[in-house]
Amino acid sequence: MAIVYGGDYNPEQWPRETWAEDMRLMREAGVNRVSVGIFSWALFEPEEGRYEFAWFDEVLDLLHQNGIEACLATPTASPPPWFAAHYPEAVMVDAEGRQLTHGSRQGFDPSSDVYLAKALAIAEKIAERYADHPAVGLWHIHNEYGCHNARSYTKAATAKFRVWLRERYGDLDGLNAAWGTAFWSQAYSSWDQVYAPLPTPTIPNPGQVLDWKRFSSWQLVQNYKAEAAVIRKYSDKPMTTNFMTGSHADIDLWEFSGAVDIVSTDHYLAGEDADAHVNLGFAADYARSLGAGRPWILMEHSTSAVNWQGRNRAKAPREMLRNSLAHFARGADAIMFFQWRASKQGAEKWHSGMVPHAGTDSKIWREVCELGARLGELAEVEGSTVSAATAILWDFPNRWAQEHEARPTNELDPQGIFNVYYAALWRAGITADVAEPEGDLSKYKFVVVPAIYLLSRKGAENLRRFVDGGGTVLVTPYSGIADETDTVYLGGYPGALRDVLGVRSEEFYPLIGGRVELASGGHGTIWSEDAASTGAEVRDTYADGTPAWLVNRFGEGTAHYLTTFPDDTTLDRIVAAAAQDAGVTPAAEAPVGVEVVRRAHEDGRSWLFCINHTDADAQVKSADALIDVPAGEVVVHREHA
């Protein structure tokens, strides 16, 4: 057994004499899998209906001869130039109503039947030819669904949106009720009056916009399922596609994860963020959670700089090793990069590769080889899992509803609030799963609810049942306010959770360019509420005595509620108190900036991954050892044989 190691391989960008050198260098680095064919449609089908595969036969044969597995992609994320030239109606229309043109990637309309037919045709040709090739071990369907074309506003999309709405609501009465169309004289009397939400004179209907985002996500998942069905006619090997758990939020990955055989994801650091490794932790925990705790694939990350940020900072020495092993620590059994060779031409020529522009006499290449060797030494960890007693909630309709322009404050960014609360758990050394509000919470002791404004009735009942049964929740402001149709729960805030939290607010008071002081000495930002306890204990207040932190006993459990967003020091104290109520403790004692995560096999073997993100040597105290972790390094401590 071996940990999967490799990256995207694009031999079509290089002369054939380079391919033999690639094989030699892959063996030197310990590479055992590469993704191939991702952007090869124009070479596979240079003219519509004319296919050329001989060159790719040679690539797959070379990989097999060198003991390297192929993760074989369908190239459908980037149709060739002839597609747009022959079928301009199948090219996407953006949110401003502009017809886009060919010249980059993902320019197609996901709702186009023409696109789908052409995509399925090339997918079938590839499956017919290569399903039994001995190099092929895994199928990679498409690439980064919806990264650039998540929502296309064509006539075809509008037509399919209407069908989707009929299936969701049954009739126009159901649609009008869900969208609240009595407001502003928007009631529909015919389905042909319903359109995709293109620009309007002022604020668009929130229900319409929310359902459009739901539909657009659903459409992309259907495209994946259609391609997967074609592949499955020829092959029983597992299929996946690369999610983007740390960044893009245009596709409901809870829905999508049920369609893949194994979860895979891409992750890229924000170069200007000094704590970007915390977002890495979230992306990894999220990928693991989407796969119900099973090991997952890191399909792409970077050896160094990327090409698309404002400042494309190169990674510091050892940073790539820390990044890779942090993903591994949190459950990845495959560590892969975009890409094998840094391109010398094209839109991503400034994106780093495993073989950089500088060649093999370079920091990147030395670290690539070192990482391959370390993963080889850690082969026994493969198949082990990460267990978490804590979950933090993330829900796509909630995120999409909060993107609407009509809201109490534009400073309350749902992703930003989530990041703050995830970071507090990270600082506390608490490994957390990411969960959806309607998902199974029974295995957790502690659940964090970060600004889940849109909380369905089912989700609210799920949280109520969790606390009543003995769980502990920490709920932030602006949670439980509206139901699944973005209709406000009446009777006071936080509507759906008032009884669980033992609190009632009559009004919100977003802070205007300032902060609110707390009696404990800290302060709150962004938000305040005129809250009153209806049974909860008040733990902290604003200077005027208004409750800021309340704790309520509900059934067998405990509910913490905040009426503002506190500073990090105050938040760390609150998280520690809530975790103590839940009986949740970190994997080990570690200084600030040292990440500690445990992986374990069912047979009792376990490992502590100690990752030092600081410039100082550190010591981690586990149950059975004191572990020295040099500055910037990763130490893997085997706890039990």
Side-chain angles (χ1 to χ4, degrees), residues 94-233:
D94 72 8
E96 301 301 315
R98 297 177 301 174
Q99 175 72 63
L100 303 188
T101 60
H102 180 81
S104 57
R105 63 177 186 175
Q106 285 194 353
F108 63 89
D109 170 27
S111 295
S112 167
D113 289 336
V114 172
Y115 163 75
L116 184 60
K118 299 305 174 185
L120 297 185
I122 186 65
E124 184 148 26
K125 286 291 184 182
I126 290 169
E128 281 181 317
R129 191 175 187 94
Y130 298 117
D132 296 323
H133 194 287
V136 177
L138 178 72
W139 291 95
H140 181 330
I141 308 298
H142 202 81
N143 183 71
E144 294 184 337
Y145 272 94
C147 184
H148 310 292
N149 66 341
R151 296 161 193 150
S152 179
Y153 298 74
T154 60
K155 292 179 180 179
T158 290
K160 290 191 175 181
F161 183 40
R162 291 168 180 165
V163 173
W164 182 88
L165 290 169
R166 283 193 188 99
E167 292 177 355
R168 183 174 180 85
Y169 296 113
D171 55 27
L172 286 168
D173 288 342
L175 175 71
N176 285 320
W179 287 6
T181 57
F183 190 83
W184 278 0
S185 187
Q186 293 179 350
Y188 295 97
S189 58
S190 172
W191 285 106
D192 61 11
Q193 298 165 3
V194 180
Y195 287 89
L198 285 166
T200 57
T202 185
I203 300 170
N205 183 295
Q208 178 191 18
V209 175
L210 176 58
D211 273 345
W212 170 252
K213 293 175 180 178
R214 284 179 168 130
F215 158 76
S216 298
S217 170
W218 172 88
Q219 180 63 71
L220 289 163
V221 177
Q222 303 320 298
N223 288 352
Y224 172 88
K225 289 180 177 179
E227 283 197 45
V230 167
I231 301 296
R232 188 58 75 211
K233 291 192 300 182

Side-chain angles (χ1 to χ4, degrees), residues 151 239 263 279 398 413 521:
R151 296 161 193 150
M239 288 180 275
V263 167
N279 177 264
N398 167 64
D413 166 38

Side-chain angles (χ1 to χ4, degrees), residues 41-93:
W41 193 345
L43 293 181
F44 288 151
E45 191 178 5
E47 296 177 358
E48 185 174 5
R50 180 171 70 83
Y51 300 97
E52 294 185 1
F53 290 115
W55 70 274
F56 198 67
D57 295 346
E58 186 178 346
V59 171
L60 288 185
D61 290 346
L62 273 173
L63 292 173
H64 179 60
Q65 292 161 15
N66 285 274
I68 300 166
E69 183 182 79
C71 176
L72 179 53
T74 62
T76 53
S78 192
W82 60 256
F83 175 82
H86 294 179
Y87 307 104
E89 74 280 8
V91 178
M92 75 173 290
V93 172

Side-chain angles (χ1 to χ4, degrees), residues 10 16 57 95 117 131 151 220-221 229 263 285 333 365 391 402 410 458 470 591 603 634:
N10 299 293
R16 270 181 167 77
D57 295 346
R151 296 161 193 150
L220 289 163
V221 177
V263 167
D285 287 342
D333 269 1
W365 179 249
Q402 290 194 59
N410 60 12
K458 183 178 177 181
D603 62 11
V634 181

Side-chain angles (χ1 to χ4, degrees), residues 356-410:
H357 292 152
T360 55
D361 184 13
S362 62
K363 174 203 75 174
I364 288 178
W365 179 249
R366 287 187 286 273
E367 291 195 10
V368 161
C369 292
E370 180 181 349
L371 177 59
R374 291 199 68 176
L375 291 173
E377 294 166 359
L378 292 168
E380 64 177 346
V381 181
E382 182 189 21
S384 63
T385 57
V386 177
S387 295
T390 299
I392 182 168
L393 300 188
W394 175 254
D395 184 52
F396 289 89
N398 167 64
R399 164 70 179 264
W400 298 335
Q402 290 194 59
E403 290 171 346
H404 196 272
E405 61 196 86
R407 48 189 168 153
T409 175
N410 60 12

Side-chain angles (χ1 to χ4, degrees), residues 13 98 206 215 225 277 285 294 342-343 348 359 371 375 377 421 470 502 552 572 587 600:
Q13 296 179 13
R98 297 177 301 174
F215 158 76
K225 289 180 177 179
H277 51 273
D285 287 342
R294 295 182 294 274
S343 300
E348 293 186 297
L371 177 59
L375 291 173
E377 294 166 359
Y421 280 77
N552 191 48
D572 288 348

